Amino acid sequence: MRDANPQTIYLKDYTVPEYLIHNVALNFILDDEDTLVRSRLTLSRNPASYSPNKSLILLGENLKLLGVNLDGKDLAKDQYLQTQDALIVNNVPQQQRFELTIENTINPKANTALEGLYLSNGMLCTQCEAEGFRKITYFLDRPDVMTSFTTTLVGDKDRYPVLLSNGNKVAQGELPNNRHWVTWEDPFNKPCYLFALVAGQLECIADRFTTQSGREIDLQIFVEKHDIDKCDHAMQSLKNAMRWDEQVYGREYDLDLYMIVAVSHFNMGAMENKGLNVFNTKFVLARPDTATDSDYEHIEGVIGHEYFHNWTGNRITCRDWFQLSLKEGFTVFRDQEFTGDRTSRAVKRIEDVNMLRTRQFAEDAGPLAHPIRPDAYIEINNFYTLTVYEKGAEVVRMVHTLLGAEGFRKGSDLYFERYDGQAVTCDDFVSAMEAANDIDLRQFRRWYSQAGTPVLTVRQHYDASAQTLALTIKQSCPPTPGQAVKESLHIPVTMGLLNKDGSAALCKLEGSDRASDEVILQLTQSEQTFVFEGLAEQPVVSILRGFSAPVKLVMDRSLDELAFLLSHDSDTFNRWEAGQQLAGQIIAGLIADVQNGRELHVNPVMVDAFRQVLEQPWDDLSYFSLLLGLPSETYLGDQMEVVDVEAIHTASEFVMRALAEELESQFFALYQANHKDESGKFDAGAIGRRRIKNICLSYLGKLENINVQRLAQQQFNTAKNMTDQMAALAVIANNPHPAKQRCLDSFYRQWQEEALVIDKWFALQASSHMPGTFETVKALMQHPAFDLKNPNRVRSLVGAFSQSNPLHFHAANGQGYQFLADQIIALNTLNPQIASRMVGALTSWRRYDESRQALMKAQLERIISTEAISKDVYEVASKSLARQD
Ligand code: B3K
Ligand code: ZN
């Protein structure tokens, strides 16, 4: 049965912990089904707590309690109380330290929620963030209780030859009955969400890193035996991340050992446990023939992200879970910059903004909108959102923009110096930035408490006689649930001006004696006018360069002006953006034509713009390939009053085909010039060649031309790397290619032993827009390789269908919705976190036509009335249905 009344937790109710834990000694006698946990805690009353409560309340869930001992004496049953989620020990000492020993057992094999201690392909592993430690033993499971951990693992030598936990290995030994033990000690205080243990039959690759101060660090990556040949890229990524954090932030690694373990069953990407990261295999394993270029890039990004958490998350952690963006926003910003430095800054920025605008903006405009520092939650796992992570990173990026790289570094140095070893708040982060730079960020702080995507409306007025340009910017923010009234934000708006010949015009603000190619406008009022002087001719405005703030921009632009910016803007982001706006406007017109039954014609401005891009020489081929990309169907839908998935799809396909027809020879020549027989090395030149070639192939694939079909098939058959093989298969599977089924079958046969490649095979079919996809998805649910207990599989089939296939998921008869609800209900009991993530595809129901609204709403209602609904699913489904006023 559902928690009768799921409780809402509020930020305003925060109080300091009543007790402190000085150290904990954990002892695990490992067994797949019956692990014995003994925890010895040294505690004392927290002098900073004013609570009159004299009992000690430790949190715990699903634990079989064997006994409690206080200062050497076993407690009788009436000296403590065990509830569904806590152990309450009465009359603990108030004046001095005391020692509490708890014994309990847990069943990792039965743990399909993958939180706490669980089994994945025979390996025992843990996931404790946010509140999984309480599923291992009773504890003060909250991030502001930091303590030192000593962990002893005992187990069968054959069953669990490798025994890992946080920190340094300090002792080990043999025991009778073929058992052994290892003791780990973590010298750094940490909250229990950073605890980890791993035990099993694992292989390891090892390397070393010398820090900037000359310390030698052992690096180890543990995987299942058959994956040992896919760890090199992850290891190299780790070393790159370690060096980068030293160079850019002056941060050095602190323990003598850094371990990464890859597991097949994992609810998210990875986890930054101190000294012992646990990763989804997806973000570790790569070989050129099994992983695509973007897999390689994501692996480096996620390895970096978890590594960077060692300072932004572990050494300095969050006071409470409302502060999650303190560590996540900052760490995402750090990993974005790392990837930008390692690959192409222009490309990385565009990829990040694209994701933010399609997915986070939708979240911020929907029923689950929340500020980057939420003020209430039912289930904290539901708040690991795009808002907390990606918008959180944008907020940190704005601080960086406002302070400049040097000022930001001064601020981060002060942050690390002031708060090392503490659990702090978002406000503490901003205070450090302020103090180091002598700047007032009071108004800027509203970004932390205000939800919703601000809208900037820009008007321009050029006065030829005065030679001035007046730019008036109005900011507004639509209401979000629980926040009807919005206040003005402090928004940095980076901009430049272009002369008619494409050269930069100087920006000289009225009253300022400085003139430069680019300025950062400080927008603080609801409406503000900025006047630029000395402009002999009317310039073209390039505004919000680099996407300097996470806002929507409304500005009247002609197609010609956009085409001009696409050719001339020196800002790589805005140049791409102009192309997107141009394509977006033209496709919007075509969508209206489809809706009104008019014949479709592509605007020659678009063909010319594409031709120009295609005919220019480009150094950064990855960036070039982005310029050829069209706005996604999801993004186009976001721009509409009522999303019309069919019209969007028809218009998008039409444009692709029209461009392919008009520019066939250019696409073909570019394909040929860049199609090299390459093994798939992760280097910028080869990646760029593959990217540009494969986008050309995707256009050519629309031509239903026998030569192109052969080309795709040939690339599929001869590819030496997964990027090329997948790209060819995608073209084959998304067009009426005669060999479609044969290729899909042979791909499966070739890769059936490689779980991550089979995930791609599922996802590709689930996101296909060809007819019959729904039936394929249903059939794939019965495929022997499908497993509802494996989150990667669920994401690749159910997730890809519901989140990346708008056309079929939103089929007018509602079968997609019903299918998704069936899976959510089944997942609800197995894995509430994954179930709740899947509800996301239904939350935007108000964006569709009346008939679809009713169908989606009915499924949400069905989900919510399921017996035994988890609080994870309940929170998302009920908030999705809640009235929006
Ligand atoms: N901190 C973890 C996420 C934990 C999610 C808990 N539901 C990974 C990361 O952001 O690095
Ligand atoms: Zn993180």
Side-chain angles (χ1 to χ4, degrees):
M1 241 233 349
R2 163 160 74 82
D3 233 354
N5 211 346
Q7 208 198 331
T8 299
I9 318 283
Y10 296 96
L11 169 58
K12 64 177 165 46
D13 294 342
Y14 173 83
T15 52
V16 299
E18 291 169 355
Y19 291 85
L20 302 174
I21 304 180
H22 302 280
N23 57 65
V24 51
L26 295 168
N27 190 293
F28 289 84
I29 312 227
L30 300 167
D31 183 88
D32 287 0
E33 291 175 56
D34 192 27
T35 288
L36 176 69
V37 188
R38 188 178 332 113
S39 160
R40 197 187 64 223
L41 306 168
T42 308
L43 299 122
S44 68
R45 182 86 201 173
N46 181 3
S49 167
Y50 295 115
S51 162
N53 178 23
K54 298 273 185 286
S55 325
L56 168 70
I57 307 173
L58 298 171
L59 301 173
E61 278 171 31
N62 287 334
L63 306 173
K64 199 159 132 197
L65 182 63
L66 301 182
V68 187
N69 179 296
L70 179 63
D71 284 332
K73 292 193 195 74
D74 285 342
L75 293 187
K77 288 255 157 73
D78 61 353
Q79 291 175 291
Y80 60 87
L81 178 71
Q82 204 188 349
T83 69
Q84 239 202 322
D85 52 16
L87 171 70
I88 303 165
V89 187
N90 306 322
N91 303 321
V92 293
Q94 298 295 304
Q95 305 306 331
Q96 77 274 9
R97 287 189 178 198
F98 57 97
E99 209 176 84
L100 194 76
T101 304
I102 300 163
E103 270 194 8
N104 65 274
T105 58
I106 41 180
N107 180 354
K109 193 173 176 187
N111 182 355
T112 58
L114 314 184
E115 197 186 37
L117 181 68
Y118 66 92
L119 204 55
S120 170
N121 285 357
M123 176 197 317
L124 283 176
C125 61
T126 52
Q127 172 55 36
C128 293
E129 187 178 0
E131 299 178 333
F133 194 76
R134 66 186 65 177
K135 295 183 166 182
I136 295 175
T137 185
Y138 288 102
F139 205 76
L140 294 177
D141 187 357
R142 45 186 288 168
D144 57 351
V145 173
M146 299 173 85
T147 187
S148 76
F149 283 71
T150 304
T151 306
T152 299
L153 305 175
V154 183
D156 185 89
K157 272 201 275 188
D158 299 324
R159 179 70 195 84
Y160 313 109
V162 174
L163 299 171
L164 310 176
S165 190
N166 318 85
N168 302 312
K169 195 191 267 192
V170 291
Q172 58 189 324
E174 307 266 321
L175 290 168
N177 299 325
N178 196 43
R179 294 192 313 156
H180 67 155
W181 61 274
V182 177
T183 297
W184 293 85
E185 212 171 74
D186 184 352
F188 293 94
N189 279 359
K190 65 169 176 290
C192 65
Y193 83 84
L194 290 172
F195 169 82
L197 84 76
V198 172
Q201 294 152 344
L202 297 163
E203 301 267 312
C204 158
I205 70 158
D207 207 331
R208 299 201 111 190
F209 178 84
T210 311
T211 68
Q212 58 186 6
S213 72
R215 289 175 44 245
E216 288 284 310
I217 314 290
D218 281 317
L219 312 177
Q220 296 174 347
I221 299 183
F222 292 87
V223 293
E224 291 170 33
K225 190 175 166 76
H226 60 95
D227 289 324
I228 198 71
D229 59 344
K230 302 185 206 81
C231 299
D232 295 348
H233 176 63
M235 184 62 91
Q236 188 54 49
S237 302
L238 176 59
K239 291 192 281 184
N240 294 341
M242 294 177 90
R243 191 61 75 215
W244 188 88
D245 213 13
E246 293 183 343
Q247 286 166 350
V248 181
Y249 283 86
R251 297 291 113 197
E252 189 173 314
Y253 186 59
D254 47 12
L255 289 164
D256 300 332
L257 174 63
Y258 194 90
M259 296 175 284
I260 291 175
V261 182
V263 302
S264 301
H265 296 73
F266 208 63
N267 281 346
M268 62 272 172
M271 178 64 213
E272 70 264 25
N273 316 302
K274 183 78 187 189
L276 177 58
N277 289 183
V278 177
F279 268 64
N280 187 326
T281 46
K282 184 176 163 63
F283 295 109
V284 175
L285 305 179
R287 218 173 50 196
D289 58 333
T290 63
T292 62
D293 294 332
S294 77
D295 293 331
Y296 271 75
E297 184 183 313
H298 290 140
I299 288 169
E300 185 163 67
V302 179
I303 295 255
H305 180 98
E306 306 312 328
Y307 176 73
F308 303 142
H309 266 316
N310 190 53
W311 277 96
T312 50
N314 301 3
R315 291 284 290 250
I316 303 179
T317 194
C318 302
R319 187 194 71 174
D320 53 74
W321 290 120
F322 298 100
Q323 317 296 330
L324 185 56
S325 203
L326 170 79
K327 74 178 178 81
E328 296 305 346
F330 193 6
T331 305
V332 171
F333 171 71
R334 278 151 57 70
D335 86 52
Q336 289 175 343
E337 289 295 290
F338 169 58
T339 301
D341 285 347
R342 296 276 317 149
T343 58
S344 151
R345 289 192 82 81
V347 170
K348 177 63 177 156
R349 187 67 189 133
I350 291 167
E351 285 172 349
D352 291 337
V353 174
N354 228 345
M355 204 246 279
L356 185 87
R357 285 206 298 212
T358 29
R359 302 188 44 218
Q360 193 280 326
F361 279 19
E363 184 169 272
D364 232 353
L368 282 121
H370 53 274
I372 63 166
R373 184 188 54 219
D375 36 34
Y377 61 77
I378 293 177
E379 170 53 63
I380 186 57
N381 281 324
N382 285 330
F383 284 80
Y384 287 75
T385 57
L386 290 150
T387 299
V388 166
Y389 275 65
E390 311 302 324
K391 186 176 180 181
E394 292 299 320
V395 171
V396 175
R397 182 175 295 279
M398 286 190 287
V399 174
H400 189 277
T401 302
L402 289 168
L403 304 181
E406 234 177 83
F408 188 85
R409 172 65 194 267
K410 277 199 273 167
S412 69
D413 283 351
L414 183 62
Y415 173 69
F416 293 124
E417 188 189 309
R418 263 194 192 174
Y419 301 115
D420 187 14
Q422 297 179 43
V424 304
T425 63
C426 297
D427 210 49
D428 293 326
F429 171 78
V430 181
S431 304
M433 289 291 161
E434 273 177 325
N437 289 279
D438 199 17
I439 180 181
D440 182 348
L441 293 171
R442 249 173 305 173
Q443 187 182 359
F444 185 83
R445 279 180 170 79
R446 290 180 185 160
W447 279 104
Y448 285 88
S449 55
Q450 195 161 290
T453 305
V455 179
L456 301 192
T457 311
V458 184
R459 277 180 291 123
Q460 43 178 323
H461 175 74
Y462 178 69
D463 182 337
S465 57
Q467 303 201 335
T468 57
L469 174 82
L471 214 57
T472 302
I473 311 181
K474 210 175 131 203
Q475 62 163 307
S476 62
C477 184
T480 51
Q483 255 185 10
V485 182
K486 304 287 181 178
E487 294 175 303
S488 293
L489 295 165
H490 180 177
I491 305 176
V493 181
T494 306
M495 59 159 296
L497 300 170
L498 278 78
N499 292 314
K500 291 281 180 302
D501 64 357
S503 61
L506 282 182
C507 304
K508 184 178 171 299
L509 279 164
E510 199 177 48
S512 151
D513 46 12
R514 281 194 48 220
S516 50
D517 285 353
E518 197 167 271
V519 283
I520 301 171
L521 306 177
Q522 309 278 333
L523 183 66
T524 51
Q525 295 156 29
S526 60
E527 184 168 316
Q528 236 166 310
T529 298
F530 302 89
V531 179
F532 297 91
E533 303 172 327
L535 297 161
E537 59 172 24
Q538 177 163 10
V540 176
V541 178
S542 165
I543 195 160
L544 205 69
R545 283 186 161 176
F547 201 67
S548 62
V551 299
K552 283 186 190 160
L553 197 62
V554 178
M555 186 175 181
D556 276 338
R557 294 272 203 200
S558 68
L559 291 180
D560 288 337
E561 205 174 42
L562 291 170
F564 173 83
L565 287 170
L566 173 63
S567 300
H568 300 292
D569 203 327
S570 60
D571 182 71
T572 50
F573 176 81
N574 268 8
R575 193 167 186 182
W576 168 83
E577 172 68 352
Q580 294 291 296
Q581 293 291 330
L582 177 91
Q585 276 193 33
I586 288 170
I587 301 174
L590 289 163
I591 293 171
D593 291 341
V594 175
Q595 289 176 321
N596 293 296
R598 291 189 287 259
E599 209 181 311
L600 303 185
H601 300 282
V602 78
N603 191 320
V605 175
M606 182 157 181
V607 181
D608 283 346
F610 265 69
R611 183 175 292 115
Q612 278 215 23
V613 170
L614 280 165
E615 285 169 0
Q616 277 179 52
W618 295 95
D619 289 335
D620 183 345
L621 295 180
S622 290
Y623 178 67
F624 177 21
S625 75
L626 289 179
L627 292 179
L628 296 178
L630 295 175
S632 71
E633 294 186 19
T634 310
Y635 179 77
L636 293 167
D638 289 345
Q639 316 306 308
M640 295 178 76
E641 198 67 35
V642 176
V643 185
D644 182 341
V645 285
E646 279 141 7
I648 294 171
H649 182 67
T650 308
S652 300
E653 284 286 296
F654 170 80
V655 168
M656 269 200 96
R657 191 167 316 114
L659 289 170
E661 278 162 4
E662 298 279 345
L663 303 165
E664 180 178 350
S665 57
Q666 286 90 333
F667 282 128
F668 195 73
L670 203 53
Y671 179 92
Q672 297 294 11
N674 291 287
H675 183 51
K676 305 243 165 74
D677 195 15
E678 287 169 306
S679 69
K681 247 184 84 210
F682 186 62
D683 84 72
I687 293 168
R689 282 192 291 279
R690 285 192 283 271
R691 271 188 140 176
I692 198 73
K693 163 187 83 180
N694 286 322
I695 193 156
C696 290
L697 185 64
S698 70
Y699 276 100
L700 292 168
K702 299 292 158 202
L703 293 175
E704 290 175 36
N705 159 333
I706 182 93
N707 291 328
V708 175
Q709 289 177 349
R710 280 206 200 106
L711 194 68
Q713 173 125 33
Q714 197 186 12
Q715 179 172 320
F716 175 76
N717 291 340
T718 57
K720 291 207 179 73
N721 61 77
M722 185 48 72
T723 307
D724 283 350
Q725 197 181 9
M726 259 329 262
L729 188 60
V731 169
I732 292 167
N734 273 299
N735 292 293
H737 195 288
K740 177 177 161 181
Q741 200 51 49
R742 239 179 311 135
C743 293
L744 284 168
D745 292 346
S746 90
F747 188 86
Y748 183 81
R749 276 196 305 279
Q750 185 184 356
W751 295 115
Q752 52 190 318
E753 303 302 328
E754 295 292 344
L756 295 172
V757 183
I758 295 304
D759 286 337
K760 296 180 194 301
W761 180 80
F762 277 106
L764 183 72
Q765 296 178 79
S767 46
S768 165
H769 52 73
M770 297 308 283
T773 293
F774 180 65
E775 288 66 32
T776 306
V777 168
K778 283 190 78 165
L780 287 173
M781 292 294 296
Q782 307 306 321
H783 192 282
F786 185 74
D787 178 6
L788 211 52
K789 289 195 187 138
N790 184 325
N792 283 356
R793 278 290 135 88
V794 173
R795 282 185 281 257
S796 65
L797 185 54
V798 184
F801 176 67
S802 58
Q803 291 156 21
S804 310
N805 197 340
L807 182 69
H808 290 296
F809 174 63
H810 292 284
N813 62 8
Q815 60 187 13
Y817 309 145
Q818 173 156 11
F819 165 80
L820 179 63
D822 290 346
Q823 307 318 320
I824 291 167
I825 291 166
L827 280 163
N828 173 62
T829 28
L830 290 173
N831 188 332
Q833 274 186 54
I834 299 296
S836 139
R837 291 275 154 170
M838 294 294 133
V839 184
L842 292 166
T843 56
S844 57
W845 60 277
R846 288 183 180 84
R847 305 277 297 113
Y848 296 85
D849 57 68
E850 268 181 34
S851 152
R852 286 184 173 87
Q853 283 196 14
L855 292 163
M856 291 173 90
K857 196 167 165 239
Q859 294 305 328
L860 281 168
E861 278 159 356
R862 189 178 140 227
I863 291 168
I864 221 165
S865 58
T866 307
E867 222 185 296
I869 193 84
S870 59
K871 57 179 182 167
D872 309 57
V873 175
Y874 172 80
E875 179 170 35
V876 179
S878 63
K879 287 184 176 170
S880 301
L881 286 167
R883 287 176 49 143
Q884 300 288 282
D885 46 27

